[in-house]
Amino acid sequence: MAADIETVEQVQSVGADYKYGFVTDIEVELAPKGLNEDIIRFISAKKSEPEWLLAWRLKAFRHWLTMEEPNWAKVGYPPIDYQDAYYYAAPKTTDGPKSLDEVDPKLLETYEKLGIPLREQEFLAGVAVDAVFDSVSVATTYKAKLEEQGIIFCPISEAVANYPELVKKYLGSIVPYSDNFFATLNSAVFTDGSFVYIPKGVRCPMELSTYFRINQANTGQFERTLIVADEGAYVSYLEGCTAPMRDENQLHAAVVELIAHDDAEIKYSTVQNWYPGDEEGRGGIYNFVTKRGACRGRNSKIAWTQVETGSAITWKYPSCILQGDNSVGEFYSVAITNNRQQADTGTKMIHIGKNTTSRIVSKGIAAGRSDSTYRGLVRMQAGATNARNHTQCDSLLIGDQSGAHTVPYIESTNPSARVEHEATTSRISDDQLFYCRARGLTSEEAVSLIVNGFCREVLQTLPMEFAVEAQKLVGISLEGSVG
Amino acid sequence: MPVSLKSRPEPPDRPMLENAMPPPLLSDRHAATAARLPGSGLAWLGDLRGQALASYRAEGLPTRKLEAWRKTPLDHLAGLDLAPAELTAPPAVDTLPPWQRELVQGPSIVFVNGHHHPGLSRLSGLPDGVLIDSLAHLLEHRPALIEAHIGRLATPKGHALAALNAAFMGDGLVVRLPAGIRLDQPLHLINIAAPGAGAIAIQPRHLVILEAGAAMTLVESHTGLGDTAYFANAVTEISLAPKARLRHIKAQLETPAATHLASVTVSLGEDALYDAFTLNSGALLARQETYVDITGRQGEARVNGVYLAAAGQQQDNVTRIVHDTTDSLSRQNFRGVIDAGGKGVFQGKILVKRHAQRTDGHQLNRVLLLAPGARIDAKPELEIYADDVKCSHGATAGELDEDALFYLCARGIPPAAARRMLTEAFAGEAVNEIADQTLRQSFMALVRSWLDTRFGAPA
Amino acid sequence: MALLEISGLRAAVDGKEILTGLDLAIDPGEVHAIMGPNGSGKSTLSHILAGRDGYEVLSGTVRYDGADLLALSADERARAGIFLAFQYPVELPGVTGMNFLKTALNVARTSRGESEMDAMDFLKFVRARAAKLGIDDDMLRRFVNVGFSGGEKKRFEILQMAVLEPRLAILDETDSGLDIDALKVVAEGVNAMRGPDRGLLIITHYQRLLDYIVPDHVHVLANGRIAASGGKELALELEEKGYARFLEVAA
């Protein structure tokens, strides 16, 4: 009960509007608008990349030109003009800061406003943060301390320079350059993102966190994250995102690749709060993201937790390839849509190895005139002897103008593998609301409380700091959804 | 990034478009057949067939690029030199297979190769006002009645197979029950495919119209003779007025050379009931599509089935229940049993429209994979736009429960017999949805005889 | 000759040794009770005797009627007259109780060279036994254990025993989850089965059941072996003093 009261207080304490909608006025360097091989060469040169990476980018770009934008998801948006955008935007002052002291104070201020005080985080919170502002990483904290244990946590551009062999070995090994329209675009133009390597047997002593911020108008953000957990390693990684309020739509097409070797475990948590657009559906981020992890080794484990409250459009299916025997994949998701938001999200669990298990818990909440779709695939391949999957998808509708949809695909070719899928759709009952209001809660507080209860199973899997933020977001995202 | 007209650069070496595709299956046979189809003198029917043919030519036979056909290849049909089942050939059948003869006690109407066979049909003793006749006969004698109903529910647009059927439609069952009439005995619609030396296409069009408060049970059975390939593409349109009740039970035991595609489109009025059960165990490839539109308040749709796939077979079920009004109910219960080399596909959908408050919908698809090499692709789907609803679905795939097997063995039942017993019980849970006890037993017997071929006779 | 003779039985589950050298002999007509704390190996013993997979016998022998029991599969043991009343009876959706009983009885009869019982005789035979356990026709028409209460499940286990008439019955925690009235009904059912040719092995945590089914011998199972044996008074002593001293001795 204490936690519930806390939720209510938190919701009360936060204003009704999107509070991350400000713009930071900072000098930026932009590449010319548009997308062609010269722009890609420009990006690669800006980052002083080796020849192999440029070649890889160009291969992706040429392949992308032959691809069609996918249209199978239950989202609608006008055609995107890929030529009318900047593919590179960098704060001018950042030429690879050596420490926080060299970071532009305006940027530090921005992160303070976002609730990510980089200095304090470094000194107090015990969370290592990599902050990505438009196209580049502006600060990575705690680096030295992590290096003592051989942990690499740095911008991926830095990793390309300092650990080329590692990057070359793993980049594109899970999401190949030709994977899908948006991932291929990302492969061609990705600018920054985080790189994490946890050596054999090391348990990362703190949460690693990346904070993504889109600031510049007319830019797309294309970050690329690569996390490798070597044998017996463990890491918990957190990701948060915000963007200014703008009337136009901005594209975010990220790629995340995770690799877990024998006995390794990666926990990847996201609180996605990109600007969702206004009540009429003007503006907002188009969030087309490819996230995939491979449980390469025996007894390895990858767990995705996501709280998706932002973006005008979410198109995202964090997946697990369960290759190693006894490996485990988990997907916990809360997706909240309000106003005109559209979310089409879910997961793929590909069972290849013996005794692999996966668990999917998805909670979709649709309010306003929004649509929320769970789309998932569970595949039991012929070698997945004794594999197990359990999927629970629950949808909650708030108001009679929203839609909630469940589209699971189940494919099995192994008799000893067991797949179980359950899904329900319901609404918050008047009785529940009345009960809360009879105890003094406003409608909005009641909704927040009930929805947080509905999502509890997922929110519990988040690290503490994020769980609190996520609970708040649940309340805020649904403001105005009940009369 | 701003949203404006898409101007992606052209790829440098985009291949030329392929040459024009050959005309889709059977479409080149239309010209030679059209003049001989029943009702060929009727202008409206000519228009209907012509539009359907154009629509089919434009869309072609479904390919795996279509989401609904992703798991269902029809490539093998292209290799067949299919001819429309001949209209004038003398009946090739003068007796029925015993199981089919004994399936139902009651009136029966027989179609051989999709054409009515009056000699084998038994339609005496029906209540006054009940119309049970062949489409071909009615097109000659009561075309206005047919015009009012045919092609209203199964529209060709976006549905290439319904279009193909419409282009060639000429015979089939027509049932019309006047208001308040209830048939005590089930009507048995018997379908026999008797291809001769060459592969044939059988495309019946059935119409079932139940006026207010009318009620009946329609039992369909499908079987074939010989080992020549044939392609059955049946389309059924069912219109149920307020308080009408139709129980629609089907047994599909086509030959291993058959491709059996069937679509049923149902319009459900207020407080009406459509209660369907389909057993699919025959054919090389069988696909049962059931589309129910619940447009009347408190309408109730029950769509259930058992599908049994042995080596080389594929059994598909496609359902789409549309709740288009308030206070309606739907239930789906499907059980699949797939053996090595067999394949099952389930695509079920519950669609609740914006105003369809207080919808109660449930769907269940459970599948047993009996051996390695068995395959199931399932896609149970919910699409919901109304908030005051109770909708759920469940899907499972796997083998028999080890604990249950051990429990049976611990009571002395040998493992093979225990497996058989549990498999029978598993399928039986969907067969039990058949309301009529006699029919339930008949269908259970059909399931058992399939199990006999797989497991041997029971202990 | 003993009906059941277990000598030096050592057995493991997932590589962990649970039974560490167990000896036990049951003669026809005797009722034995095995008592022990949680984790002492009680359920492992019952499952090994019934032939459940997943248990690895490391050494020792189990002879039933002089023959090697471990060489038989679960169904062969059942047809040879061994009956396990499960602690957690399994639900069998779609299988009616009547069909289940008939199938089990007829495979046993056939294997003994007897003819199958005809439907009418079978109905009479089952109804007579069911009535004594308060099981009506309606319950027999339901699917096995589906939606049964704890008491109904245990009564149905005892009915199966009454129908199959085993030579050795093993009751695994049959009293768990039963209220006192249900316990009495079950105990009466079991007592009715006592006879000079039949052995009974009652596995239980509490002596409560033994108030109603009075054993000839009581054994204490601790750390995977028999730590003490005695008459029925041993059960009362255990009730009073607990298992602690046996655990210490064994450890």
Side-chain angles (χ1 to χ4, degrees), chain A residues 119-141:
Chain A
R119 275 179 198 286
E120 285 171 40
Q121 291 266 3
E122 181 168 54
F123 294 117
L124 303 172
V127 176
V129 179
D130 183 20
V132 176
F133 192 85
D134 287 337
S135 299
V136 295
S137 176
V138 293
T140 306
T141 63

Side-chain angles (χ1 to χ4, degrees), chain A residues 74 249-250 402 408-410 421, chain B residues 1 67 354 378 380 385 393 395:
Chain A
K74 207 175 157 38
N249 298 107
Q250 283 179 285
S402 56
Y409 292 73
I410 298 160
H421 170 98
Chain B
M1 84 186 33
E67 171 70 16
R354 181 76 73 212
Y385 297 94
H393 69 205

Side-chain angles (χ1 to χ4, degrees), chain B residues 153-172:
Chain B
L153 300 176
T155 47
K157 196 170 161 35
H159 195 325
L161 289 163
L164 174 60
N165 175 286
F168 286 91
M169 63 188 172
D171 209 348

Side-chain angles (χ1 to χ4, degrees), chain B residues 10 119 167 171 206 208 323 359 373 378 419 424 455:
Chain B
E10 279 299 303
D171 209 348
H206 307 300
V208 179
H323 292 266
T359 289
R419 281 178 195 283
E424 184 177 322
F455 292 90

Side-chain angles (χ1 to χ4, degrees), chain A residues 87-162:
Chain A
Y87 286 83
Y88 183 82
K92 251 188 184 152
T93 49
T94 58
D95 192 19
K98 297 287 173 292
S99 74
L100 284 180
D101 298 332
E102 290 180 28
V103 173
D104 187 319
K106 267 193 184 149
L107 281 174
L108 292 180
E109 205 179 293
T110 299
Y111 282 92
E112 300 243 356
K113 270 201 218 171
L114 293 169
I116 317 289
L118 294 175
R119 275 179 198 286
E120 285 171 40
Q121 291 266 3
E122 181 168 54
F123 294 117
L124 303 172
V127 176
V129 179
D130 183 20
V132 176
F133 192 85
D134 287 337
S135 299
V136 295
S137 176
V138 293
T140 306
T141 63
Y142 266 119
K143 227 161 134 179
K145 184 158 183 208
L146 292 169
E147 274 168 8
E148 283 168 25
Q149 299 199 42
I151 295 170
I152 304 170
F153 177 42
C154 66
I156 199 159
S157 48
E158 212 175 295
V160 169
N162 298 341

Side-chain angles (χ1 to χ4, degrees), chain C residues 223-234:
Chain C
N223 297 324
R225 63 177 69 192
I226 302 294
S229 295
K232 60 189 173 194
E233 64 287 345
L234 180 57

Side-chain angles (χ1 to χ4, degrees), chain B residues 170-225:
Chain B
D171 209 348
L173 166 69
V174 178
V175 177
R176 193 182 66 172
L177 254 56
I181 294 288
R182 287 159 188 266
L183 291 190
D184 296 332
Q185 288 185 306
L187 170 67
H188 190 182
L189 164 60
I190 296 175
N191 298 275
I192 299 170
I200 55 170
I202 303 166
Q203 303 202 69
R205 168 73 57 130
H206 307 300
L207 298 177
V208 179
I209 303 140
L210 265 52
E211 292 180 356
M216 69 175 293
T217 297
L218 174 65
V219 179
E220 262 186 64
S221 61
H222 297 259
T223 190
L225 303 172

